Amino acid sequence: MIITLRKGTKQKEITAVTEKVKGLGYKPHVSRGEDITIIGMIGDSAEKYKEVFEAMDVVEHVNEIQKPYKLASREFKRENTVVRVSRNVEIGGKKIHVMAGPCAIESRDLMNDTGKIVKEAGGTILRGGAFKPRSSPYAFQGLGEEGLKYMEAVGEKLHMPTISEAMTVEQVELLSKYCDIIQIGARNMQNYDLLKAAGRQKKPVLLKRGMAATVKELLLSAEYILSQGNYDVMLCERGIRTFEDSTRFTMDLNAVPVLKKFSHLPVILDPSHGIGIREHVGTMAKASIAVGADGIIIEVHPRPEEALSDGPQSLLPEQFRNLMKELNLVAKAVGRELLD
């Protein structure tokens, strides 16, 4: 249920409403826009208290949220959410951010070399996997905490926020010590204990769409994180599995305008996984910006032939530099910004 307060409501009046919600056994979720404040009262049978809040003078009106994903919906928040990361990076506004780096953190030198490439080309967030979910149990699984330390050091040196993936509840706490953004991968989109753990900590979360998940299922997974009190959630389209086998996955560009219509959360696209072929990653990255993405996450490796994970889809340094210039042109064409 959504409780919309009158314009110009004072903080003490907002507090009075939230305390009333708590007193009825529900958790209040406050969304403050430019003109109005909305309080979400989420839970079973919340609508039976509709008249209680309608009787309060500070309340403008009360509506039931129709979507099954309550806090992620446009009904709860009309304005686009802007996720504030460290180092003055804000995702969801006019500026488009590029997260880039190797698929897996392989060594200290690799992170240093790749970080410089990404930073100099205009990338704003450094990515790298310390824990890698692999189809084969014999494939490289990542360096774990040692890798996180390498990436943290490079991020500090280059003044760049960092992002890495958590696969278990225990890893969420560990990553929150070293990284600025916690990623939940496609294989864990419906790992509800992991989602709730990500929601209980305060770092922004990038939630990837499962390879066989619908848009609705993605938003419901985001709802698990939001319901725990962490509102800094970004949705990531990374390609879905279809009958087509000429590419690694089918990148669902349709999902971007649909997500933007249904939800206020920023949308990131992952063309590296979405198509899985180096020569086509740039094309899909440009298409991502054209359809309204708030950011892109790309794999870059100075020596992809030596990569321990996803070498065939990782861009070479010169390819990444050229792509950043091209992405900037597309961003300007659609009224956005990319390079400073």
Side-chain angles (χ1 to χ4, degrees):
M1 190 167 69
I2 292 176
I3 304 164
T4 303
L5 307 186
R6 296 188 188 279
K7 188 175 180 180
T9 302
K10 303 287 192 301
Q11 180 56 50
K12 65 179 182 180
E13 296 171 316
I14 297 173
T15 301
V17 179
T18 58
E19 289 301 318
K20 185 69 174 177
V21 172
K22 291 177 184 177
L24 293 171
Y26 295 84
K27 182 178 180 179
H29 297 268
V30 181
S31 172
R32 297 186 181 183
E34 293 182 8
D35 298 318
I36 61 173
T37 297
I38 291 174
I39 298 175
M41 181 174 167
I42 312 300
D44 291 338
S45 304
E47 65 278 359
K48 69 183 179 181
Y49 296 109
K50 184 177 180 180
E51 292 183 359
V52 172
F53 291 96
E54 286 178 330
M56 299 179 74
D57 186 58
V58 70
V59 174
E60 180 73 33
H61 53 79
V62 180
N63 301 99
E64 294 179 33
I65 302 177
Q66 300 302 315
K67 297 288 191 298
Y69 40 89
K70 311 299 183 182
L71 302 174
S73 72
R74 283 281 182 191
E75 294 172 82
F76 175 66
K77 186 177 180 184
R78 300 170 190 173
E79 299 88 358
N80 291 334
T81 285
V82 176
V83 174
R84 291 170 174 82
V85 190
S86 64
R87 307 186 190 281
N88 297 317
V89 170
E90 295 185 346
I91 302 174
K94 186 175 182 180
K95 183 176 175 63
I96 296 169
H97 290 274
V98 175
M99 311 174 185
C103 175
I105 302 169
E106 301 168 11
S107 68
R108 188 192 305 272
D109 289 342
L110 172 71
M111 289 311 301
N112 270 312
D113 294 345
T114 311
K116 291 176 184 176
I117 292 165
V118 172
K119 177 76 172 182
E120 290 171 1
T124 49
I125 299 170
L126 183 62
R127 63 151 294 159
F131 302 98
K132 297 301 302 177
R134 306 299 298 276
S135 298
S136 169
Y138 308 112
F140 178 64
Q141 306 290 315
L143 296 178
E145 186 172 8
E146 180 184 6
L148 292 174
K149 291 178 180 179
Y150 293 159
M151 187 163 67
E152 180 190 42
V154 175
E156 289 286 340
K157 180 180 177 181
L158 298 175
H159 303 288
M160 297 178 71
T162 58
I163 177 173
S164 194
E165 179 177 350
M167 294 167 52
T168 67
V169 171
E170 294 75 21
Q171 289 171 6
V172 169
E173 183 177 356
L174 181 63
L175 262 71
S176 66
K177 290 171 50 181
Y178 294 103
C179 297
D180 299 288
I181 304 171
I182 294 176
Q183 175 182 309
I184 304 296
R187 291 173 176 83
N188 277 307
M189 190 203 81
Q190 291 178 314
N191 182 339
Y192 300 122
D193 287 339
L194 179 59
L195 297 176
K196 287 186 282 188
R200 288 192 292 267
Q201 58 83 47
K202 301 303 180 185
K203 295 291 180 73
V205 178
L206 177 72
L207 176 63
K208 286 195 168 188
R209 181 182 180 185
M211 61 187 73
T214 64
V215 164
K216 179 181 176 181
E217 288 168 337
L218 173 61
L219 289 169
L220 282 168
S221 290
E223 192 76 11
Y224 269 89
I225 303 170
L226 294 164
S227 68
Q228 298 301 306
N230 187 347
Y231 304 126
D232 289 329
V233 178
M234 296 168 279
L235 307 170
C236 183
E237 164 59 39
R238 47 80 71 206
I240 54 176
R241 182 165 285 167
T242 67
F243 57 81
E244 182 55 63
D245 60 2
S246 61
T247 58
R248 187 175 180 185
F249 292 98
T250 297
M251 195 165 173
D252 185 11
L253 293 176
N254 299 335
V256 181
V258 173
L259 286 168
K260 290 284 187 177
K261 178 181 178 181
F262 292 157
S263 179
H264 52 86
L265 300 173
V267 180
I268 310 297
L269 268 78
D270 180 352
S272 296
H273 283 93
I275 196 162
I277 303 170
R278 182 183 301 128
E279 65 180 296
H280 301 314
V281 168
T283 300
M284 297 311 295
K286 287 178 280 189
S288 300
I289 291 180
V291 297
D294 297 299
I296 297 173
I297 184 165
I298 294 178
E299 293 180 357
V300 179
H301 199 294
R303 297 171 296 280
E305 70 280 1
E306 300 175 10
L308 299 178
S309 177
D310 286 350
Q313 67 193 36
S314 299
L315 296 186
L316 292 159
E318 192 59 29
Q319 290 176 315
F320 181 67
R321 294 187 191 101
N322 292 333
L323 176 60
M324 289 296 290
K325 296 174 184 176
E326 294 173 353
L327 292 177
N328 192 46
L329 296 175
V330 179
K332 289 181 177 179
V334 296
R336 305 287 291 273
E337 299 172 353
L338 190 140
L339 297 177
D340 294 327

